[in-house]
Amino acid sequence: MFDQYKRIRIGELAVALESEGGDAAYISHAHSDHASYGKKAEKIICSEETAVLIGSSKERLNLENAKLLDAGHMLGSTQLSAQVEGGKFVYTGDFKLEAGITTKGAEMPKECDYLLIEGTYGEPGAVFPKREEVFAQMQKWVMQNKEKTIVFGAYETGKAQEMIGFLNKYCGVAPVVSKKIDDVCKIYGKFGVKLERVRAGTHEAEEMCMGGGFTAVLPVREANEGLCRKLSGVYGKEALCALATGWGYKRSFSAGKVFCLSDHADFNGIIEYVNGANPKKIYCTHGNEKTLARELRARGFDAAPLVKKEEGGVQTTLEMAPKGVAVQCSAQCGQR
Ligand SMILES: [Zn+2]
Ligand SMILES: [Zn+2]
């Protein structure tokens, strides 16, 4: 299946799946832990949205024996479905089955013999409430605190836009957003996802802030108690901060309030996907790959974590190489 770690052959082409080397790199979406592999590659395979979001001018390949399926994770996120030796191969990238405000849900592949699946939340405890339920909780909280200043911390690409969409749709609020978040919103707009917001630093934003309580969507690193104290000092209104992240199910954060909103499938979503795709062989990657593979085996699937051999970089499964080193998903990943 893999001729090297995370590299497959599609026809004559060696395609690196968000890894190094190969004739072309497949980039599932614009988050940096995935997209960074597109920088070194000469040619890339990704959606047009992803190419624009990562600012890539590399040649974008359109393969005859491969297609991109929606992944439901953020604007332009895709799964790769390809004809390889021995059958149909699918790589999910980061995915989410439920539709969001700024995304459709992930498409279920019609045919899938070999599956490479992400396991960010691939452990049985990682179960989130339904998205609509989380939106309802957030709406209630925003409405209760409408007179105050509210700061939502969100990863700047993807999650921030979903939060702005939520505030527009559920609360009738156009939040103040950081410049970087606003720049990403402009790209969303070009692809038909309209988001009402006010760019920080503009006259309009300053007026909103001076006018009493306001709502803002800022990068996670900025949305903390320190900022809230500053904001209440400057604008004279109590300020609250909140974070929307899947990790809310088990970690605590310095932000005051945490809502369990994720752009990844939770454990049940992963199992639902695997049951739907019904592959002959499954490789797990990007997060809890060992736990997920064990859970899938317990459900009767032939599953193994995709690991890198310490030397040589040749892909093997855990069973074949007990000393294999799993490549961990960055800790930030789940915040998206
Ligand atoms: Zn991601
Ligand atoms: Zn990721």
Side-chain angles (χ1 to χ4, degrees):
M1 171 61 29
F2 300 92
D3 66 350
Q4 272 195 28
Y5 178 72
K6 276 194 163 182
R7 201 174 85 180
I8 56 166
R9 284 213 164 253
I10 305 177
E12 293 295 293
L13 210 69
V15 177
L17 305 168
E18 297 170 339
S19 60
E20 284 171 24
D23 304 316
Y26 166 67
I27 308 297
S28 64
H29 65 289
H31 285 151
S32 54
D33 52 331
H34 299 257
S36 59
Y37 294 105
K39 286 192 186 129
K40 283 189 201 155
E42 278 179 31
K43 295 167 184 168
I44 55 175
I45 301 165
C46 66
S47 66
E48 188 190 349
E49 290 90 332
T50 298
V52 175
L53 282 164
I54 65 178
S56 176
S57 51
K58 301 247 165 96
E59 183 188 347
R60 207 155 52 84
L61 299 180
N62 211 336
L63 302 183
E64 227 171 74
N65 33 14
K67 71 177 181 200
L68 304 180
L69 310 175
D70 272 335
H73 177 63
M74 63 169 289
L75 180 76
S77 66
T78 60
Q79 314 174 61
L80 177 69
S81 161
Q83 186 64 46
V84 298
E85 210 188 318
K88 266 269 157 63
F89 167 86
V90 175
Y91 169 45
T92 62
D94 290 357
F95 77 99
K96 171 170 63 53
L97 288 175
E98 275 185 292
I101 294 170
T102 53
T103 59
K104 292 187 210 157
E107 225 175 300
M108 188 67 78
K110 289 194 184 74
E111 272 177 278
C112 178
D113 299 302
Y114 306 101
L115 176 67
L116 175 60
I117 189 166
E118 68 118 342
T120 302
Y121 292 106
E123 58 179 11
V127 174
F128 314 143
K130 288 266 164 245
R131 211 166 181 81
E132 282 303 324
E133 235 171 82
V134 182
F135 285 146
Q137 289 167 7
M138 295 199 300
Q139 182 188 38
K140 195 172 159 208
W141 187 75
V142 170
M143 290 311 179
Q144 276 169 352
N145 295 297
K146 246 197 149 161
E147 301 303 309
K148 299 172 187 163
T149 292
I150 294 174
V151 178
F152 276 106
Y155 187 75
E156 290 147 297
T157 308
K159 182 59 79 56
Q161 287 67 39
E162 184 76 2
M163 288 305 301
I164 296 165
F166 154 77
L167 288 165
N168 292 170
K169 187 176 166 187
Y170 286 77
C171 310
V173 166
V176 175
V177 305
S178 73
K179 290 170 188 167
K180 167 82 191 289
I181 290 174
D182 184 55
D183 289 343
V184 177
C185 288
K186 283 181 191 155
I187 299 176
Y188 270 63
K190 272 186 202 150
F191 288 99
V193 182
K194 300 276 176 259
L195 298 163
E196 299 293 331
R197 77 278 173 191
V198 178
R199 186 180 173 96
T202 59
H203 181 66
E204 195 187 353
E206 194 52 28
E207 276 194 339
M208 268 175 77
C209 298
M210 297 303 286
F214 61 95
T215 301
V217 178
L218 299 176
V220 174
R221 62 182 179 277
E222 289 175 21
N224 53 41
E225 302 295 348
L227 176 79
C228 285
R229 274 195 299 276
K230 254 188 233 161
L231 289 176
S232 18
V234 174
Y235 299 113
K237 284 270 179 184
E238 188 188 345
L240 305 173
C241 63
L243 207 59
T245 168
W247 294 113
Y249 85 94
K250 73 168 182 188
R251 283 194 211 151
S252 58
F253 292 87
S254 63
K257 182 91 183 159
V258 178
F259 294 101
C260 205
L261 186 79
S262 179
D263 293 329
H264 288 264
D266 67 357
F267 182 72
N268 293 343
I270 294 174
I271 299 298
E272 186 186 335
Y273 181 99
V274 170
N275 282 328
N278 197 25
K280 284 192 274 199
K281 174 83 197 173
I282 305 168
Y283 300 92
C284 307
T285 185
H286 202 56
N288 281 308
E289 59 272 324
K290 285 180 191 160
T291 309
L292 178 59
R294 199 172 56 231
E295 291 295 327
L296 290 172
R297 283 199 299 273
R299 286 164 177 77
F301 290 100
D302 180 1
L306 187 68
V307 292
K308 207 179 206 174
K309 229 183 176 180
E310 274 166 319
E311 284 170 344
V314 178
Q315 183 277 330
T316 53
T317 62
L318 187 69
E319 286 82 354
M320 290 153 71
K323 281 187 189 159
V325 180
V327 175
Q328 291 297 318
C329 171
S330 79
Q332 295 294 312
C333 182
Q335 292 183 9
R336 296 162 198 171

